[in-house]
Amino acid sequence: MQRYETTSVQNITQQYVHWFRHSAPYINAHRNKTLVLMFGGEAVQHPNFQHIIHDIALLHSLGIRLILVHGARPQINQNLQEKQIETPIHLHRRVTTRESLACVMNAVGSIRLEIEALLSMGLANSPMFGARIDVVSGNFVTAKPYGIRDGVDFQLTGEVRAIDTDAIQRHLDNHNIVVLGPTGYSTTGEVFNLLAEEVATKTATALHADKLIFLGKKQGLLSDQGKLLRELTPQQLEPYIKHFQQLDHEMALHLQGAQTASLSGVHRVHLISYAYDGALIEELFTRDGIGTMITDAHYEDVRTATIQDVGGLINLLRPLEEEGILVYRSRERLESEISQFAVIERDGMILACAALYPIPTAKNEIRSAEIACVAVDPAYRKSNRGSQILHFLEEKARQEGILQLFVLTTRTAHWFLEHGFQTASVDDLPSARQELYNYQRNSLVFKKILM
């Protein structure tokens, strides 16, 4: 029994060491980057919120510049109920009367104090021990009235007019965490009730933030089949926004914010769950993440090849085939297999390509596919186009229900290891692919499990 427990602990330790080593590139990539993190009042009430605070403290300790934007809808509703004050909702926005404003300010102030208190914890034997964090909040958001819509006067409900980016940047430069709530101030000294999602989106775009992260109820965006959509462009969000406008207003706001921010220059927008312990860490420091990422840059040049691309593929592949790096493919073979290829094209020139070949599998074998013919034009090999096209095919494989990818290579082993593949053997290949293995070529085998 003792021996079994020791082995189990060793396995867990080894898993931790393996993960920590592989997270190093992501830690380096995020250092000194600016992240805007938005969570609603529901997240503050959730039992997992204390873990979220611990993860925020960890991100801060790794040199990430953080702006936290919190909502307060359930807390405001509770205050209004206790005061027996009713406020109408129109166009999914609360009409904030002067009578109800005190309830709004009380809820927002209470949450801000709770966040500051949690970030000040420093008990021994706790994740916050030794973490000296200075939290700053203030009048960084200038607001204006939302006005009269459909004949309804929204009174002290407002929208963002401007973000004081200079002041926020100064505090970030001083290694402070900036906290913003769903309120803003007018030049006449009035307080306006705002949408926290709008505050987060406007702040991220004004600061040219590297990432905007929405913590919501759901893990991310799901397909009609219930599968997690790991990566989308802002243009692909449009039907989902329309779908959720009547079903889930929080998700609709997150998607609208994600689309606006992505089209306005925010490099990455992430949708993750506040209920999932460690979601922030997994999303930022693992290759596949845990939620949905929206980006306008990733797939802009990647597409499935067409018959018109055969000539360009031949020009790209022939030099590599002559060197023995790639297996020779005739024009006829390329034409028959063209739908398996993905390419990156610029001005009519094929800059990169790769192919995804499903492997026939027996009933007792995992659904598998082979990635082959990965090639990048020599003039562009210092770019990330190889990574882009590999990721494109990985996503395509996931959509087709592929659970395991294989690569056979003679020259680029390290590159595939850097992209999450692991050393395997010929015996690990599905039986149908083993039969076709060329022992004379003696290619190394690598595999990757798709989650």
Side-chain angles (χ1 to χ4, degrees):
M1 185 66 173
Q2 179 66 35
R3 183 177 179 181
Y4 173 80
E5 290 177 353
T6 302
T7 302
S8 179
V9 170
Q10 288 175 340
N11 290 337
I12 293 172
T13 302
Q14 286 299 312
Q15 290 174 10
Y16 168 76
V17 170
H18 176 80
W19 176 86
F20 195 71
R21 285 172 177 162
H22 283 76
S23 68
Y26 302 99
I27 293 173
N28 292 327
H30 285 95
R31 187 173 290 114
N32 296 321
K33 294 297 190 291
T34 300
L35 272 61
V36 177
L37 177 62
M38 186 270 152
F39 47 86
E42 297 84 356
V44 178
Q45 294 177 333
H46 196 274
N48 192 49
F49 187 65
Q50 192 169 61
H51 294 150
I52 294 173
I53 289 292
H54 293 162
D55 292 344
I56 288 171
L58 175 59
L59 298 183
H60 179 262
S61 71
L62 293 173
I64 297 174
R65 299 152 62 91
L66 295 171
I67 300 101
L68 311 182
V69 182
H70 68 83
R73 288 190 191 96
Q75 291 83 353
I76 292 172
N77 289 337
Q78 183 178 349
N79 288 351
L80 290 171
Q81 187 176 4
E82 291 174 356
K83 298 288 186 181
Q84 296 184 333
I85 299 173
E86 293 187 5
T87 56
I89 302 293
H90 185 61
L91 300 175
H92 298 293
R93 289 191 186 232
R94 188 190 309 277
V95 176
T96 308
T97 62
R98 293 197 176 275
E99 182 185 24
S100 65
L101 184 62
C103 296
V104 174
M105 294 173 65
N106 178 271
V108 173
S110 297
I111 292 175
R112 176 177 59 82
L113 290 173
E114 181 178 353
I115 293 171
E116 291 178 356
L118 289 171
L119 285 171
S120 299
M121 292 188 302
L123 293 175
N125 300 319
S126 77
M128 299 292 290
F129 180 66
R132 172 61 184 174
I133 300 174
D134 292 322
V135 183
V136 175
S137 58
N139 57 340
F140 303 124
V141 181
T142 303
K144 60 183 179 181
Y146 195 63
I148 299 173
R149 311 285 176 107
D150 297 337
V152 176
D153 185 354
F154 280 83
Q155 301 183 51
L156 292 175
T157 295
E159 56 185 336
V160 175
R161 181 176 181 178
I163 304 293
D164 190 348
T165 55
D166 290 340
I168 293 175
Q169 290 285 14
R170 284 196 299 272
H171 289 295
L172 294 177
D173 291 342
N174 289 327
H175 308 291
N176 300 325
I177 292 179
V178 176
V179 176
L180 304 177
T183 53
Y185 309 92
S186 72
T187 53
T188 60
E190 289 184 297
V191 180
F192 286 97
N193 182 19
L194 310 176
L195 289 176
E197 293 81 2
E198 183 189 1
V199 173
T201 301
K202 294 283 188 179
T203 301
T205 55
L207 287 169
H208 305 291
D210 298 282
K211 290 179 182 286
L212 169 60
I213 302 173
F214 289 104
L215 283 163
K217 294 189 296 289
K218 299 178 180 177
Q219 183 178 350
L221 193 58
L222 303 180
S223 69
D224 294 338
Q225 292 75 37
K227 292 185 177 181
L228 179 67
L229 299 172
R230 293 187 176 273
E231 190 165 333
L232 294 167
T233 65
Q235 293 82 3
Q236 291 174 311
L237 292 180
E238 198 62 42
Y240 296 101
I241 293 173
K242 293 178 181 178
H243 173 75
F244 283 109
Q245 278 174 340
Q246 301 302 323
L247 299 176
D248 186 338
H249 186 53
E250 178 197 80
M251 178 60 84
L253 287 173
H254 289 181
L255 294 177
Q256 286 173 336
Q259 184 182 60
T260 300
S262 185
L263 292 174
S264 300
V266 177
H267 301 311
R268 300 281 189 272
V269 184
H270 301 261
L271 307 176
I272 58 177
S273 171
Y274 58 72
Y276 183 94
D277 188 11
L280 267 174
I281 304 303
E282 280 198 48
E283 184 68 9
L284 295 177
F285 300 126
T286 63
R287 181 172 299 279
D288 295 322
I290 193 66
T292 298
M293 182 174 72
I294 294 90
T295 174
D296 197 31
H298 195 80
Y299 290 156
E300 58 184 1
D301 296 322
V302 188
R303 61 173 174 80
T304 301
T306 66
I307 196 68
Q308 288 77 23
D309 297 316
V310 171
L313 284 173
I314 290 174
N315 292 334
L316 179 63
L317 298 177
R318 283 297 179 262
L320 297 173
E321 292 170 351
E322 291 170 359
E323 290 183 47
I325 297 174
L326 295 178
V327 175
Y328 174 76
R329 285 170 170 79
S330 66
R331 174 180 284 272
E332 292 75 17
R333 181 180 175 185
L334 286 173
E335 289 177 352
S336 65
E337 297 177 351
I338 195 65
S339 62
Q340 311 291 347
F341 278 80
V343 296
I344 296 179
E345 175 199 5
R346 174 181 287 181
D347 298 329
M349 177 181 177
I350 303 300
L351 303 183
C353 73
L356 179 71
Y357 295 102
I359 301 173
T361 49
K363 290 183 178 180
N364 62 335
E365 293 178 327
I366 300 174
R367 290 196 64 185
S368 303
E370 179 182 354
I371 286 183
C373 207
V374 180
V376 180
D377 186 278
Y380 294 90
R381 285 178 186 166
K382 291 185 179 180
S383 69
N384 67 339
R385 286 176 172 82
S387 301
Q388 287 184 10
I389 209 161
L390 177 62
H391 196 80
F392 179 88
L393 290 181
E394 287 181 3
E395 289 301 314
K396 181 181 178 182
R398 287 190 181 95
Q399 293 171 10
E400 294 178 1
I402 302 297
L403 302 177
Q404 185 172 233
L405 290 177
F406 286 95
V407 168
L408 280 71
T409 182
T410 58
R411 306 278 188 92
T412 55
H414 284 188
W415 188 82
F416 285 106
L417 288 171
E418 291 168 1
H419 287 77
F421 284 80
Q422 296 179 338
T423 303
S425 68
V426 176
D427 293 336
D428 293 317
L429 291 167
S431 55
R433 184 63 183 85
Q434 288 185 37
E435 295 172 2
L436 299 175
Y437 182 80
N438 186 341
Y439 284 93
Q440 184 176 358
R441 188 170 170 79
N442 197 28
S443 299
L444 299 175
V445 180
F446 298 90
K447 69 177 180 180
K448 183 175 185 179
I449 303 298
L450 298 180
M451 304 300 291

